[in-house]
Amino acid sequence: MEDHLHIITGHYGSGKTEFAVNLALSFADAGLTPLLADLDIVNPYFCSREQKGRLTARGVRVVLPCGGGADVPAVNPEVSALLERGVCGVMDVGGDPAGARVLGRFAQRIYGIEHELLCVVNFSRPETNTPEKAEDYLRQIERSARLSVTGLVNNTHLCGDTTREDVRRGARLAKALSSATGIPIQYHAFDARLSSGMRLPQKTLFPMDIVMKKPWETDIEQTGK
Amino acid sequence: MAKELWKGNEAVAEAAIRAGCRFFFGYPITPQNEIPEYFSRHLPEHGGCFLQAESEIAAINMTYGAAGSGVRVMTSSSSPGISLKQEGITYIAGAELPVVIVNMMRGGPGLGNIAPSQSDYFQATRGGGNGDYRTVVLAPSTIQEAADLTQEAFDIADVYRIPVLVLADGLIGQMMEAIEWRSPKPRSLPPKDWATDGSRGKRGHNVVNSLYIETEDCTALNRKLQQKHELITKNEIRYEEFMTRDAEVLFVSYGTTARVAHAAVLKLRKDGVKAGLFRPITLWPFPEAALRACAQQTNVKAVVTAEMSMGQMLDDVKIAVNGAKPVRFVGTGGGTIPTPAELMDEAQKAIEEVWNHGRRIPALQRAN
């Protein structure tokens, strides 16, 4: 049922990669064979390519940029596989209008297939902390991607310091953004540890197991608590 | 005020704007590009000027010129770009100008790579340029601290008329953390009566230069700089101690590595090993006396210096500890971040070494 393309965009630090990785994993858990493409060629660190091992082990195929370690990573031609009909694809696109520009070259092919362009919004980020500022980013991203956003993802967070109130505050602002733009809220994404008592529409709830951690956080878990 | 999620590079640029910096000259290089990007977007809103220079060398000299006119000005780059700026930095030090420079270090030597590193410690603390000069070196280990120290860097630069370097690694530039905006404690700042901002016919003209062609003038400048350095060493040293009061093994690290060491200390404590962390916040002036006092505590058996470089801060740690305790080194080069487990291993080895050494002493005494 989700065998179509999901394109994940948003401002730097909105949590696109965390959401994209978790979305691909949720498709794999649902028995699909998702293909995740890391299209982030503007951000040097904290990209989904770092999670390749974990993703592959759980049934997600990963397409990485070419020359990933260099200053100038390039889009992998294998990305074309995601533009076929009936493929369960997730595109993790780079942040901001600059990162979304990479979509422009695929826009004609994307029009021709069933797809969703999701804009991830974190209302705790200073540059998108009001519905107006968030819409401004959203429109800039649409212009450089040459595509229209079809759904919003409220991913309001402060990394490890996030509280339920932060998510709820984000939900209120996302609702205002949705009313102003007519774009529906697809998901409220949040750290799974905040799951209890979230009281938001059930089908939009998207609890995530946080995978994009800082180096000192990851190792502590691996060595056991 | 509610916490906000800031990326390190953006926080540094915003901190500068909040500190009254209205001029930024730079040239792009990963992993610090969000600094110029942020300035380019926001400096015009504050009536300031962002200019992308044709090179790092041009950028540092534009910074030199702007500082000479008495305004608050900043430049930023990453390791190879900071190497290019060294001539300008020694000129700025020689001309006694307040300037803030940010280095988000990446793997070296040479062009290296774009991954986080701390291998510009020598360059930052010893000076990559010529002559007897120093730059104050502030080393944040959180985004909060990067925001706080960048604001304060402008005050320190103004008070002492000295270039201040904010030295962080690419991870601090790229990662995001929740921060609160707060102002540094107010300082009384001297008037910039030396600035070349126009005499309006009311005074003689000011000259900003680093050329002191007469020997006695240059000697006097060097003496003055030395006194300034002593004053800064007296007033501005900063460090943080974590669980050091009963520590048997003492980590010394800064920046991102201190975050890893912090995690290692907590894990070692859970395993029953009394570990602690001494974190220099100013790398120059280095907290030499404080580290010596900390390492001289009888509970401390061994010191482990951890760096994302191949043994640079190690020299300062050895000078500070001055042979009082064995000093071990663990480090990574070329952009690799050590794991808490690697640091824990070194701590264990350090303790074993002390224990084995302790057993060897009676044997040696018998042989004598």
Side-chain angles (χ1 to χ4, degrees), chain A residues 12-13 43-46 69-71 96 122 124-127 129 137 157-159 161 214-216 219-220 223-224, chain B residues 3-7 10 30-31 38 41-42 106 114-116 170-171 174-176 178 259 263 267 337 339-341:
Chain A
Y12 290 139
N43 212 38
Y45 302 174
F46 301 109
D71 247 331
D96 282 16
N122 178 359
S124 288
R125 289 278 288 149
E127 307 256 343
N129 58 7
Y137 258 93
H157 72 98
L158 290 166
C159 290
D161 295 340
K214 281 143 191 144
W216 50 90
D219 191 70
I220 287 299
T223 52
Chain B
K3 283 196 168 183
E4 296 174 324
L5 190 67
W6 282 79
K7 188 171 196 167
E10 297 168 347
T30 311
Y38 192 92
R41 214 160 46 232
H42 292 287
R106 58 185 248 177
I114 63 171
L171 195 77
Q174 291 297 324
M175 75 175 178
M176 307 216 184
R259 301 291 291 272
K267 184 70 178 71
I337 302 171
T339 62

Side-chain angles (χ1 to χ4, degrees), chain A residues 11-48:
Chain A
H11 175 42
Y12 290 139
S14 57
K16 293 172 303 299
T17 295
E18 189 69 65
F19 177 74
V21 166
N22 271 274
L23 188 67
L25 288 171
S26 77
F27 291 155
D29 291 347
L32 302 168
T33 46
L35 189 54
L36 173 75
D38 181 347
L39 285 187
D40 190 346
I41 56 169
V42 291
N43 212 38
Y45 302 174
F46 301 109
C47 299
S48 51

Side-chain angles (χ1 to χ4, degrees), chain A residues 200-213:
Chain A
L200 289 165
Q202 188 63 32
K203 69 176 175 43
T204 61
L205 293 181
F206 192 76
M208 302 186 293
D209 290 321
I210 304 301
V211 295
M212 301 304 292
K213 293 189 171 171

